[in-house]
Amino acid sequence: MPVVGRFAPSPTGALHLGSARTLLAAWLSVRQQRGRFIWRVEDLDGPRTVPGAVEQAMDDARWLGLDWDEGPDRSGPHAPYAQSERSALYDAALQRLADAGRVFPCLRSRKDLQTLASAPHGPAAGALPGTEGVPPYPKAWRPSMPLPPGWLRPDLDAAVRFLVPVGTVGFNDRVQGRVEEDTAAAVGDFVLKRRDGAFAYQLAVVVDDLAMGVTEVVRGVDLLDSTARQLHLIGALGGNVPAYAHVGLVVNEAGEKLSKRDGALALAALRERGVAAESVVGWLAHSLGLATAAEPLTARALVDGFRWARVPAGPVVASGEL
Ligand code: GLU
């Protein structure tokens, strides 16, 4: 099977050291195996999309010496490469899941779930928050009657949830090791399409990774708890499970994940301050366990020596002094 990797940033801001570190690891892994590398734009969250962020991120990546074989700037056999243009595929997948009886419409709100958690004598009193910060979706809220054929219509005024099967799913992460989750207990039936018509990240990412033949997924460890849900969806839609590598986050000196507030650590800002691309790559390589010191390096020079086993699982602190 040909190796296919992808970088799938959400265009919500500038590429910073954290996203660059994930990108570099994803790129090195694919380039070492002479595979194809895809740049995909995860712009489903329209209101959070920052104009120009897609071009800026690609520009920053080129500055680092990275390239890709398919993407919004060059097209390719899996176009379009922006999720906002791929709704027809997500709808088709949802229809297949509906035909297989794996999804159901839901009129409950997030608030209903939160109320359930705080109800002193409610059925879920004392329930721990699930991985989404709300209690797992109760089985009692599933439809009690069989759904009429054709219920999944384009004008459906309800969210669509995935019927999570019982049991544990697991995978061997290349960085984090063995991960297992009983999704029914931890999250419950999760949303694939919101009532307002927006597709959920979990559905879009699985549909796209399957459609694009992705064999390895590299992303930040903050998405580790999404993977079990994605495994369920891959199982339901049919397709090969990719290899996963969840890379530790780059944090600021307060230990927080880099965000817009850490603008000084955006690649564009480093560039403006006159920091050389090789210095950034050197710092990233050192933080990934691929170089003994943070000395200037090119990305190409790292390809042959890249090993997942060297990449540390935990966070790294960026001080701004590269
Ligand atoms: N869009 C996600 C992000 O920017 C990455 C999703 C993924 O790689 O699966 O963090």
Side-chain angles (χ1 to χ4, degrees):
M1 214 165 38
V3 170
V4 180
R6 85 310 192 268
F7 181 56
S10 309
T12 53
L15 215 60
H16 53 64
L17 285 176
S19 29
R21 188 169 180 263
T22 302
L23 164 61
L24 179 62
W27 182 87
L28 287 171
S29 179
V30 167
R31 288 289 174 251
Q32 187 181 61
Q33 300 168 84
R34 310 275 178 267
R36 288 182 76 70
F37 195 53
I38 300 177
W39 187 296
R40 186 170 76 221
V41 178
E42 300 214 327
D43 57 351
L44 280 183
D45 196 351
R48 288 186 61 224
T49 295
V50 174
V54 175
E55 290 71 26
Q56 172 78 60
M58 290 193 292
D59 203 40
D60 290 339
R62 286 186 207 103
W63 177 70
L64 286 179
L66 307 180
D67 60 354
W68 44 98
D69 308 294
E70 300 176 40
D73 59 329
R74 56 188 51 223
S75 200
H78 304 102
Y81 293 93
Q83 290 190 327
S84 57
E85 295 168 32
R86 299 176 61 82
S87 299
L89 280 114
Y90 311 143
D91 266 324
L94 215 50
Q95 188 58 58
R96 278 175 51 210
L97 293 171
D99 293 344
R102 306 293 302 262
V103 289
F104 65 93
C106 167
L107 287 168
R108 305 274 183 172
S109 64
R110 197 177 167 87
K111 210 161 145 239
D112 291 334
L113 273 169
Q114 276 154 354
T115 310
L116 186 75
S118 56
H121 307 294
L128 291 170
T131 45
E132 286 178 318
V134 290
Y137 189 84
K139 288 208 172 59
W141 288 2
R142 289 176 169 177
S144 47
M145 311 261 241
L147 296 165
W151 66 268
L152 181 64
R153 296 158 43 110
D155 61 348
L156 177 76
D157 182 24
V160 179
R161 286 183 183 263
F162 180 70
L163 271 167
V164 174
V166 290
T168 299
V169 289
F171 59 101
N172 296 317
D173 192 88
R174 286 168 160 179
V175 179
Q176 305 297 329
R178 182 78 192 159
V179 179
E180 290 188 350
E181 181 186 273
D182 178 345
T183 307
V187 191
D189 301 333
F190 54 90
V191 172
L192 297 185
K193 192 176 186 180
R194 293 197 322 226
R195 192 171 176 177
D196 66 6
F199 292 101
Y201 156 70
Q202 309 295 355
L203 177 71
V205 77
V206 166
V207 169
D208 288 346
D209 285 342
L210 290 176
M212 295 177 179
V214 168
T215 59
E216 49 183 71
V217 167
V218 180
R219 57 190 172 202
V221 74
D222 50 336
L223 286 166
L224 187 66
D225 69 12
S226 284
T227 307
R229 275 171 271 175
Q230 294 171 18
L231 292 176
H232 282 292
L233 284 177
I234 294 169
L237 288 168
N240 292 320
V241 174
Y244 291 99
H246 287 84
V247 180
L249 301 182
V250 177
V251 296
N252 60 22
E253 281 172 318
E256 301 152 345
K257 182 185 170 185
L258 295 188
S259 70
K260 275 197 197 114
R261 275 172 298 142
D262 305 291
L265 296 174
L267 293 195
L270 294 168
R271 245 167 118 169
E272 246 166 61
R273 291 213 302 274
V275 178
E278 287 75 17
S279 301
V280 176
V281 172
W283 185 89
L284 296 171
H286 178 56
S287 80
L288 286 167
L290 306 174
T292 45
E295 282 162 5
L297 274 168
T298 63
R300 280 277 156 206
L302 291 162
V303 170
D304 288 341
F306 179 75
R307 301 282 179 279
W308 279 115
R310 295 201 182 140
V311 178
V316 289
V317 181
S319 64
E321 299 297 320
L322 294 189

